[in-house]
Amino acid sequence: MPEPLLRTTERGLYCSAADVYIDPWLPVDRAVITHAHGDHARWGSRHYLASREGGRVLRTRLGSEANIELVDFGEVRTINGVRISLVPAGHILGSAQVRLEYNGDIWVVSGDYKTEPDPTCSPFEAVRCHTFITESTFGLPIYRWCAQEETFADMRAWWRENKERGQASLVYAYALGKAQRILAGVLDADIGPVYTHGAVERLTIDYRDSGIALHPTTPVASHPKKFDYAGSLIVAPPSAAGSTWLRRFGDVSTAFASGWMQVRGARRRRSLDRGFVLSDHVDWPALVSTIEATGAEQVWVTHGYREQVVRYLSERGIAAQSIASQWEGEDDQGEAVANEEAMA
Ligand SMILES: [Zn+2]
Ligand SMILES: [Zn+2]
């Protein structure tokens, strides 16, 4: 039997035929990167291959010194006979699945993905393959997202009500991806100004420079200390919660936008006024239907509720196994904490 095209190593997923790693968590010679979140794009490798769509955000994350080669979705790089290409994953700007083909054997590494439309990135495409390596961040049947239109309508209503009460509205969202999805979701809202934390603003500029239409924003840092924030929407990363940075906003209503907000008690434990369920990962029905759509006879499950998904697939006759990732469930600051909450 030939050696499998990919295997797990202490540095991450490795293709020995092409001598490349996918999202390695330690420095390597050649890395293929699915997307720019910190648990996937790690600093220190000699050469990175990534999608052109996410080039700007990856550059911001890896720094000016990193040697990054960008490819279009669908463009094939052949390394030692292995045909490698990137396919949209629909998770954040530039997020890709990695398709590898060698001697007729096709493997696809999903990275993080969602199938719901998102105006800030290319839509997910299901790829036929023999082996599919899937994330399982929300891989339990209890996770079912409501339509995002409802979430954005709720968010606007909350913002409007706060404005009428003379309050500012502060929503916590991961600085890369979720924050920009919110800025796209309120694009045509005519409620008040939108202000950003510096970490959000930097990546928001990258999104705009990549051609993504977002609501106009002004960084909070450009205002004098005694600025009046009543009626505005402020977008900040979860790490800003509980910091002195918040004092300047005066009377403020706080919210968090995350898939974890579907977990009972998650909002209360963070002492938030509102929780908006908005995820950049597939929910349970989309996870199951995506795996079906790939037609894969073998599925490896990583990053989340691995054992539960493996059991479900095994019961349906799919050869499934769990593979470890070093940074389990950690998407940007905050998600690791939120993940713990979900497990508790
Ligand atoms: Zn991610
Ligand atoms: Zn991830």
Side-chain angles (χ1 to χ4, degrees):
M1 224 179 101
E3 180 182 347
L5 193 50
L6 288 172
R7 61 184 161 91
T8 56
T9 71
E10 70 284 354
R11 291 172 187 274
L13 272 176
Y14 179 58
C15 173
S16 62
D19 192 20
V20 300
Y21 288 82
I22 297 168
D23 291 349
W25 49 73
L26 291 170
V28 299
D29 271 352
R30 292 187 71 90
V32 181
I33 300 299
T34 61
H35 65 290
H37 275 149
D39 54 332
H40 298 262
R42 307 225 138 233
W43 191 83
S45 289
R46 284 180 57 189
H47 181 271
Y48 295 92
L49 186 73
S51 80
R52 192 175 312 284
E53 181 181 284
R56 282 190 167 78
V57 289
L58 189 62
R59 175 61 69 195
T60 293
R61 280 296 171 98
L62 292 179
S64 57
E65 301 290 297
N67 177 15
I68 306 172
E69 180 187 354
L70 301 175
V71 290
D72 290 322
F73 288 128
E75 187 181 341
V76 177
R77 280 278 178 283
T78 304
I79 305 174
N80 301 338
V82 183
R83 291 166 57 82
I84 301 174
S85 59
L86 303 180
V87 180
H91 171 62
I92 63 167
L93 182 67
S95 62
Q97 306 171 75
V98 183
R99 180 188 186 276
L100 303 102
E101 182 177 351
Y102 189 55
N103 294 334
D105 188 22
I106 301 169
W107 291 55
V108 171
V109 180
S110 74
D112 293 338
Y113 66 100
K114 72 171 177 294
T115 53
E116 200 177 13
D118 177 343
T120 66
C121 62
S122 290
F124 177 89
E125 285 174 30
V127 181
R128 302 289 293 183
C129 57
H130 301 99
T131 303
F132 185 52
I133 303 181
T134 183
E135 61 133 324
S136 59
T137 305
F138 292 103
L140 287 181
I142 54 162
Y143 291 111
R144 282 157 206 272
W145 311 142
C146 56
Q148 60 187 326
E149 292 74 21
E150 278 176 46
T151 301
F152 285 119
D154 286 351
M155 196 180 286
R156 288 170 189 223
W158 166 74
W159 179 10
R160 204 171 276 119
E161 284 160 25
N162 295 336
K163 183 187 175 181
E164 281 159 14
R165 281 196 292 262
Q167 284 183 301
S169 304
L170 191 155
V171 60
Y172 296 110
Y174 306 131
L176 170 54
K178 192 65 60 64
Q180 292 75 31
R181 194 171 163 205
I182 290 170
L183 293 173
V186 299
L187 181 58
D188 58 349
D190 190 17
I191 302 170
V194 178
Y195 302 124
T196 48
H197 184 279
V200 169
E201 183 66 15
R202 178 147 188 217
L203 292 155
T204 297
I205 291 167
D206 286 336
Y207 267 62
R208 287 203 191 94
D209 289 348
S210 305
I212 307 298
L214 303 175
H215 195 289
T217 54
T218 311
V220 166
S222 68
H223 298 144
K225 267 252 152 66
K226 292 240 176 292
F227 190 81
D228 181 9
Y229 288 91
S232 70
L233 177 71
I234 302 140
V235 185
S239 56
S243 70
T244 54
W245 187 77
L246 296 182
R247 286 190 200 137
R248 70 192 71 204
F249 301 121
D251 189 5
V252 62
S253 177
T254 57
F256 197 114
S258 168
W260 299 114
M261 287 300 118
Q262 199 191 300
V263 179
R264 221 158 56 117
R267 178 188 63 79
R268 208 182 49 241
R269 270 197 295 278
R270 286 167 172 267
S271 309
L272 298 160
D273 299 312
R274 285 295 293 268
F276 296 109
V277 179
L278 187 68
S279 178
D280 285 329
H281 299 265
V282 275
D283 62 3
W284 176 259
L287 176 71
V288 170
S289 63
T290 300
I291 292 170
E292 272 172 21
T294 66
E297 54 222 27
Q298 176 172 243
V299 175
W300 290 4
V301 184
T302 183
H303 218 86
Y305 294 100
R306 296 179 278 143
E307 303 308 330
Q308 291 86 341
V309 175
V310 164
R311 194 177 319 127
Y312 176 88
L313 296 173
S314 302
E315 284 166 8
R316 277 147 193 85
I318 293 171
Q321 69 181 77
S322 158
I323 61 164
S325 57
Q326 188 170 0
W327 306 96
E328 206 53 43
E330 188 188 28
D331 244 358
D332 220 351
Q333 310 115 321
E335 188 157 324
V337 179
N339 205 352
E340 278 168 31
E341 283 185 359
M343 303 292 184

Coordinates of all heavy atoms in Angstrom, one line a residue, residues 35 37 39-40 91 111-112 135 137 281 303 327 329-331 335, ligand 2:
H35 N -5.4 30.2 5.9 CA -5.9 31.6 6.2 C -5.1 32.2 7.3 O -4.3 31.6 8.0 CB -7.4 31.6 6.5 CG -7.8 30.9 7.7 ND1 -7.8 29.6 7.9 CD2 -8.3 31.4 8.9 CE1 -8.3 29.3 9.1 NE2 -8.6 30.4 9.7
H37 N -5.7 33.6 10.3 CA -5.9 33.5 11.7 C -4.6 32.9 12.4 O -4.0 32.1 11.8 CB -7.1 32.6 12.1 CG -8.4 33.4 12.0 ND1 -9.6 32.8 11.7 CD2 -8.7 34.7 12.3 CE1 -10.5 33.8 11.7 NE2 -10.0 34.9 12.1
D39 N -3.9 30.7 14.6 CA -3.7 29.3 14.8 C -3.4 28.6 13.5 O -3.2 27.4 13.5 CB -4.9 28.7 15.6 CG -6.2 28.9 14.9 OD1 -6.4 30.0 14.2 OD2 -7.1 28.1 15.0
H40 N -3.4 29.3 12.4 CA -3.2 28.7 11.1 C -1.9 29.3 10.4 O -1.2 28.5 9.8 CB -4.4 28.8 10.2 CG -5.6 28.1 10.7 ND1 -6.0 26.9 10.3 CD2 -6.5 28.5 11.7 CE1 -7.1 26.5 11.0 NE2 -7.4 27.5 11.8
H91 N -14.6 31.4 4.9 CA -14.4 31.6 6.4 C -14.1 33.1 6.7 O -14.9 33.7 7.4 CB -13.3 30.7 6.9 CG -12.9 30.8 8.3 ND1 -13.7 30.7 9.4 CD2 -11.7 31.1 8.8 CE1 -13.0 30.9 10.5 NE2 -11.8 31.2 10.2
G111 N -9.2 23.6 6.2 CA -9.0 24.7 7.1 C -10.3 25.0 7.8 O -11.1 24.2 8.0
D112 N -10.5 26.3 8.3 CA -11.8 26.7 8.8 C -12.7 27.0 7.6 O -12.2 27.6 6.7 CB -11.6 27.9 9.7 CG -10.8 27.6 11.0 OD1 -10.8 26.4 11.4 OD2 -10.3 28.5 11.6
E135 N -12.5 20.6 9.7 CA -12.5 21.2 11.1 C -13.9 20.7 11.7 O -14.8 20.3 11.0 CB -12.5 22.7 11.0 CG -13.6 23.4 10.3 CD -14.3 24.5 11.0 OE1 -14.4 24.5 12.2 OE2 -14.7 25.5 10.3
T137 N -15.2 22.7 14.7 CA -15.3 23.7 15.8 C -16.7 23.6 16.4 O -16.8 23.7 17.6 CB -15.0 25.1 15.3 OG1 -13.7 25.1 14.6 CG2 -15.0 26.2 16.4
H281 N -17.9 29.7 11.1 CA -17.7 28.2 10.9 C -19.0 27.6 10.5 O -20.1 28.2 10.8 CB -17.2 27.6 12.2 CG -15.9 28.1 12.7 ND1 -14.7 27.5 12.4 CD2 -15.6 29.2 13.4 CE1 -13.7 28.2 13.0 NE2 -14.2 29.2 13.6
H303 N -9.7 20.0 15.2 CA -10.0 21.3 15.6 C -11.5 21.4 16.1 O -12.3 22.0 15.5 CB -10.0 22.2 14.3 CG -9.5 23.6 14.5 ND1 -8.1 23.9 14.5 CD2 -10.1 24.8 14.7 CE1 -8.0 25.2 14.7 NE2 -9.2 25.7 14.8
W327 N -3.3 23.9 18.4 CA -4.0 25.1 18.9 C -5.5 24.9 18.9 O -6.2 25.6 18.2 CB -3.5 26.3 18.2 CG -2.1 26.4 18.2 CD1 -1.2 26.0 17.3 CD2 -1.3 26.9 19.3 NE1 0.1 26.2 17.7 CE2 0.1 26.8 18.9 CE3 -1.6 27.5 20.5 CZ2 1.1 27.1 19.7 CZ3 -0.5 27.9 21.3 CH2 0.8 27.7 20.9
G329 N -9.1 24.9 18.8 CA -10.2 25.9 19.0 C -9.7 27.3 19.2 O -10.5 28.2 19.6
E330 N -8.5 27.6 18.9 CA -8.0 29.0 19.2 C -8.0 29.8 17.9 O -7.1 29.7 17.1 CB -6.6 29.0 19.8 CG -6.2 30.3 20.2 CD -4.7 30.3 20.7 OE1 -3.9 29.5 20.1 OE2 -4.3 31.1 21.5
D331 N -9.0 30.6 17.7 CA -9.1 31.5 16.5 C -8.9 32.9 17.0 O -9.9 33.5 17.6 CB -10.5 31.4 15.9 CG -10.4 30.8 14.5 OD1 -9.2 30.6 14.1 OD2 -11.4 30.6 13.9
E335 N -11.2 33.3 21.3 CA -12.0 32.1 21.0 C -11.6 31.0 21.9 O -12.4 30.1 22.2 CB -11.8 31.7 19.5 CG -12.8 30.6 19.2 CD -13.1 30.5 17.7 OE1 -13.2 31.5 17.0 OE2 -13.2 29.3 17.2
Ligands
ZN2 ZN -9.0 27.9 13.2

